[in-house]
Amino acid sequence: MKKITEFPHEIEVMDPVFIEMPDGVRLAAKIWKPKGSDQVPAILEYLPYRRSDGTAERDALTHPYFAGHGYAAIRVDMRGSGDSDGVMTGEYLKQEQDDALGVINWITAQPWCSGSVGMIGISWGGFNGLQVAARQPDALKAVVSICSTDDRYADDIHYMGGCLLMDNPWWSSYMFSLNTTPPDPLVVGDRWKDIWLERLKGSGFWIAEWLRHQRRDDFWKHGSICEDFSKIKAAVYAVGGWADGYSNAVFRLLEGLRSPSKGLVGPWAHKYPHFAKPGPAIGFLQECLRWWDYWLKDIDTGIMDEPRLRAWVQNGVEPQTFYEDRPGRWVAEDGWPNQRLSPVKWWLNSNGLGQKPDRTVPLTLCSPQNVGMAGGRWCAFGLDPDGPGDQRAEAGGSLVFDTPVLTEGCDILGTPELELELETGQPVAMIAAVLSDVMPNGAATRVSYGVLNLTHRKCHENPSLMKPSERTCIRLKLNDCAHHFGKGNRVRIALSTAYWPIVWPMPEKVTLKILTGKSALSLPVRPSSEGDAVLSKFPAPESAVPLKTELLSSPEYENGFHTDLATGEITCRLWQDEGRVRHLELDGWTTASTREETYRIHPDDPLSARLDIIWTEEVSRGDWQVTSRTRTRMHATKTHFILKGELEAYLGNEEVYRQTWDEEIPRDFV
């Protein structure tokens, strides 16, 4: 990535800047803007991840770049995070949105602001950009939302297809840990300890609340802008990556929004596209400038004359848990949904996938609980081997249906969908489906997947028990994808009744009967387009210069599975040490963070599932040091989830706070 040192505008930096909310709480901000008295549009990024050290490296690449091209870039610590006052008690709360409106009002009142504001963000910042847009502040003209969602229940880190994602407690444990970190005493003064103690005592154990809402209720509808797309008036550029957990929302936003919108999906994991893996990375900051110039400066950059959707069609390659680059090509569509797509149906027959239905045969499926071990993480970051591996490892515990060898290649773009006629032996059951590209040597690369809690077969708001031995027809949408199946390869759909450790197991082992000749896979085949060959190329990635840091100890990473040959229990352990980093621009402020994740299960017992996540945080400057340790443990009975939480915090060697949580939460059709 090319580092730019000279820009059209000289940059000045203001840090810290405190923005006071109506209730007196002050939010800490860092502002990069062009020098001088000219009024310029503003670009806001609003996050809970500590602007001083948490996102500082990324911010240094991005926000000075915008400022150097004539924008005021503002990075704000949300209430209860970083150097801001207050306590954070949950994600996407109304208070968070209210504060964002207060920040926008403050920005537009500054003499350097032209009155036009944009919001940019990835993940949490992508979510709240859409949520704040739905509140319709007059000044907010445009949003760039990266790796986000419009649906907090059906397509977020908490639940998938009505199944509990293992990333739900993982994500809670991360925020549990992050919320224990203090503000910088050099920034907030002697108040730092009071602010810190208030956070330790008040932030809470979020996973307990999330597990009290196991169906799509008002808790999840709040902040889900899919409830009413018409509330958004600002222009939206929705960006995602196929290796990420958040690619589906791009297509729903293009279909649902009534405001101007564009979509972009690359091969990337959960990172900004100018440095994300797998590559190729693109000149994403230049693309953003074209968007901002059009909507915030009224400059016709031509961006709205281009196709509404651009997507990277991935070539079939050998399966790997990490790719430096993912071969493929860019394609474009002028509209979405697109009538050019022609769904092609493959019937699940007793001898594989066929273009015509064969006789009906009930095939019994009862998977070991460890099917899914080759699935990688629900939300991959692309920095480590956290993607799906060779799907051949799952075949023994799945029902596998292959096409004949393809005599010609084909592209798909959009949503693969299954129609299944089945019977179940249990009232609470699930099914997982994995779409793979099978190479001539037998290696199977995952293209997409989906899971469905069968009690949610009709809707996520009012689940209903399955009736054992009763035939039921269900529809299962897999994640959106764009893939080229090459000549000589085969298309595979694999069905299982478990998908661990991505999905928490059902209360008891599930047995299904899948009726062949009645069930089918529909693939969204995309015909070739002459316009693909003449698409303009994205420029090479560039950014501002990196932050100055000193690495005092190197990062470490370990990740692997272990099977106890005596008991049969399988353990997945991940250990990560992010290294000790001294931030040279923060007067020697030093940070260190480690985590250990342990997941256990026995292939024959869904109630054997256990997780244990320990996180430590340390910040220091000279002899001053604050350390915290959090622990989240979880298992389940047939009727309840059992949660235990621990928090301890130290100033030097002195323990200043300790708290434990012990929760039993009824299972609600999960």
Side-chain angles (χ1 to χ4, degrees):
M1 183 163 57
K2 183 179 180 181
K3 304 300 189 293
I4 307 299
T5 57
E6 295 185 6
F7 295 100
H9 296 267
E10 190 176 355
I11 302 167
E12 65 174 312
V13 181
M14 299 182 289
D15 184 33
V17 175
F18 289 100
I19 303 172
E20 188 167 333
M21 298 292 100
D23 62 356
V25 165
R26 299 193 313 162
L27 305 186
K30 184 173 184 177
I31 300 174
W32 300 257
K33 72 178 200 63
K35 278 190 175 180
S37 58
D38 290 345
Q39 292 186 327
V40 295
I43 300 168
L44 169 64
E45 187 169 21
Y46 176 60
L47 291 172
Y49 303 135
R50 302 181 60 88
R51 82 196 190 295
S52 60
D53 51 49
T55 63
E57 183 177 354
R58 184 182 79 203
D59 295 345
L61 301 178
T62 301
H63 294 304
Y65 190 93
F66 292 150
H69 286 90
Y71 291 88
I74 301 99
R75 167 67 175 87
V76 175
D77 282 338
M78 285 166 38
R79 179 184 295 246
S81 70
D83 295 321
S84 292
D85 297 343
V87 176
M88 181 175 295
T89 58
E91 55 180 12
Y92 318 122
L93 305 179
K94 182 178 181 297
Q95 181 67 64
E96 175 185 331
Q97 299 173 18
D98 291 344
D99 287 348
L101 298 179
V103 169
I104 291 173
N105 289 337
W106 180 90
I107 290 171
T108 57
Q110 302 310 300
W112 40 260
C113 182
S114 68
S116 293
V117 176
M119 287 187 72
I120 189 171
I122 183 171
S123 199
W124 195 311
F127 280 44
N128 65 33
L130 296 172
Q131 292 162 2
V132 173
R135 297 286 296 272
Q136 301 181 8
D138 291 338
L140 184 59
K141 309 299 183 186
V143 171
V144 176
S145 183
I146 309 153
C147 300
S148 71
T149 190
D150 58 322
D151 191 331
R152 292 187 57 216
Y153 180 80
D155 198 26
D156 192 8
I157 204 166
H158 304 290
Y159 296 91
M160 181 180 186
C163 298
L164 174 65
L165 288 169
M166 296 279 274
D167 271 21
N168 188 333
W170 174 84
W171 177 241
S172 169
S173 72
Y174 172 71
M175 292 307 299
F176 188 25
S177 181
L178 187 64
N179 289 338
T180 66
T181 56
D184 186 343
L186 290 187
V187 174
V188 302
D190 293 339
R191 299 171 52 246
W192 77 268
K193 190 172 183 181
D194 291 337
I195 296 172
W196 181 44
L197 288 173
E198 187 181 15
R199 292 179 188 175
L200 292 172
K201 296 175 182 178
S203 289
F205 190 48
W206 294 4
I207 181 61
E209 182 175 32
W210 294 346
L211 279 181
R212 292 189 185 99
H213 300 275
Q214 296 168 39
R215 60 178 76 182
R216 185 186 177 86
D217 57 14
D218 289 341
F219 179 84
W220 301 112
K221 291 179 183 179
H222 169 77
S224 294
I225 60 111
C226 63
E227 293 295 310
D228 187 354
F229 283 118
S230 69
K231 288 185 177 179
I232 291 185
K233 307 299 182 185
V236 174
Y237 203 155
V239 182
W242 298 128
D244 182 41
Y246 291 104
S247 56
N248 300 326
V250 173
F251 298 90
R252 290 195 304 270
L253 288 167
L254 291 182
E255 182 174 0
L257 288 173
R258 298 298 174 259
S259 63
S261 60
K262 284 180 69 71
L264 172 65
V265 189
W268 317 300
H270 199 71
K271 294 291 180 183
Y272 269 76
H274 50 301
F275 55 79
K277 301 293 182 183
I282 65 169
F284 183 65
L285 297 183
Q286 301 97 299
E287 182 75 358
C288 288
L289 283 177
R290 296 176 68 228
W291 181 257
W292 300 133
D293 285 350
Y294 186 93
W295 292 107
L296 303 185
K297 290 185 176 179
D298 295 323
I299 299 172
D300 189 354
T301 60
I303 194 167
M304 298 308 293
D305 298 326
E306 297 170 358
R308 195 166 173 223
L309 170 68
R310 287 188 69 163
W312 184 257
V313 175
Q314 301 187 137
N315 291 343
V317 294
E318 294 281 332
Q320 295 177 203
T321 55
F322 172 82
Y323 295 97
E324 186 72 26
D325 289 287
R326 189 67 191 266
R329 74 189 195 283
W330 289 106
V331 302
E333 297 293 345
D334 291 327
W336 195 268
N338 195 295
Q339 301 304 316
R340 293 192 330 107
L341 300 182
S342 52
V344 172
K345 183 172 286 191
W346 289 91
W347 293 89
L348 278 63
N349 292 328
S350 57
N351 61 348
L353 293 174
Q355 294 181 323
K356 295 181 180 180
D358 203 342
R359 62 192 180 93
T360 300
V361 177
L363 298 181
T364 301
L365 172 62
C366 181
S367 302
Q369 298 304 304
N370 58 310
V371 170
M373 287 170 55
R377 295 202 79 121
W378 179 84
C379 183
F381 287 87
L383 303 176
D384 303 297
D386 57 2
D390 193 332
Q391 300 302 297
R392 283 181 294 189
E394 315 278 35
S398 307
L399 282 180
V400 176
F401 302 86
D402 287 0
T403 64
V405 172
L406 299 178
T407 57
E408 59 182 27
C410 72
D411 292 345
I412 62 171
L413 173 63
T415 311
E417 189 168 357
L418 277 166
E419 301 172 45
L420 297 176
E421 189 166 325
L422 52 80
E423 300 175 11
T424 178
Q426 292 74 34
V428 178
M430 67 160 285
I431 188 166
V434 175
L435 176 68
S436 297
D437 188 351
V438 182
M439 309 293 131
N441 65 0
T445 300
R446 196 180 76 184
V447 175
S448 182
Y449 76 104
V451 298
L452 179 63
N453 179 339
L454 295 177
T455 69
H456 288 237
R457 63 197 179 277
K458 296 178 181 177
C459 70
H460 294 308
E461 294 185 40
N462 298 296
S464 57
L465 295 175
M466 296 287 288
K467 294 181 179 180
S469 301
E470 180 178 276
R471 288 192 177 184
T472 304
C473 294
I474 63 108
R475 301 177 75 89
L476 171 55
K477 290 186 176 182
L478 279 61
N479 287 334
D480 289 327
C481 56
H483 187 82
H484 175 75
F485 290 95
K487 178 181 177 180
N489 291 6
R490 289 171 287 147
V491 179
R492 170 174 294 171
I493 195 75
L495 306 179
S496 62
T497 56
Y499 208 56
W500 181 91
I502 289 181
V503 170
W504 191 270
M506 294 288 101
E508 54 186 329
K509 287 189 73 173
V510 174
T511 299
L512 299 179
K513 288 184 178 179
I514 307 296
L515 300 179
T516 68
K518 297 285 188 178
S519 302
L521 167 69
S522 180
L523 294 177
V525 173
R526 179 185 186 268
S528 60
S529 170
E530 294 180 358
D532 295 341
V534 295
L535 283 175
S536 59
K537 293 184 178 180
F538 287 108
E542 58 186 36
S543 72
V545 297
L547 200 65
K548 295 179 181 178
T549 60
E550 180 183 2
L551 189 63
L552 303 180
S553 66
S554 299
E556 297 180 10
Y557 179 87
E558 298 176 11
N559 188 8
F561 290 92
H562 170 76
T563 301
D564 187 317
L565 297 180
T567 66
E569 184 182 64
I570 297 170
T571 300
C572 173
R573 179 182 179 271
L574 183 148
W575 161 261
Q576 184 164 21
D577 181 342
E578 295 185 359
R580 187 175 302 275
V581 180
R582 179 177 292 148
H583 301 264
L584 301 179
E585 298 177 11
L586 297 175
D587 297 308
W589 182 262
T590 301
T591 58
S593 178
T594 65
R595 81 178 192 265
E596 182 176 14
E597 303 174 40
T598 306
Y599 307 95
R600 304 178 189 275
I601 202 164
H602 191 284
D604 293 330
D605 183 7
L607 299 182
S608 66
R610 300 284 191 277
L611 71 79
D612 189 348
I613 304 175
I614 301 171
W615 221 296
T616 62
E617 305 286 353
E618 180 189 306
V619 294
S620 62
R621 180 183 283 121
D623 295 334
W624 178 89
Q625 178 178 298
V626 164
T627 308
S628 65
R629 176 182 178 274
T630 58
R631 186 176 189 182
T632 301
R633 287 180 289 168
M634 178 174 166
H635 69 278
T637 67
K638 282 188 177 182
T639 59
H640 287 76
F641 290 106
I642 313 299
L643 291 169
K644 295 184 184 296
E646 302 171 14
L647 161 62
E648 53 191 67
Y650 298 85
L651 177 56
N653 294 322
E654 176 192 358
E655 181 179 290
V656 297
Y657 189 73
R658 178 182 291 269
Q659 186 174 354
T660 60
W661 290 261
D662 198 339
E663 302 267 1
E664 292 193 15
I665 298 171
R667 299 180 78 145
D668 183 14
F669 294 88
V670 172

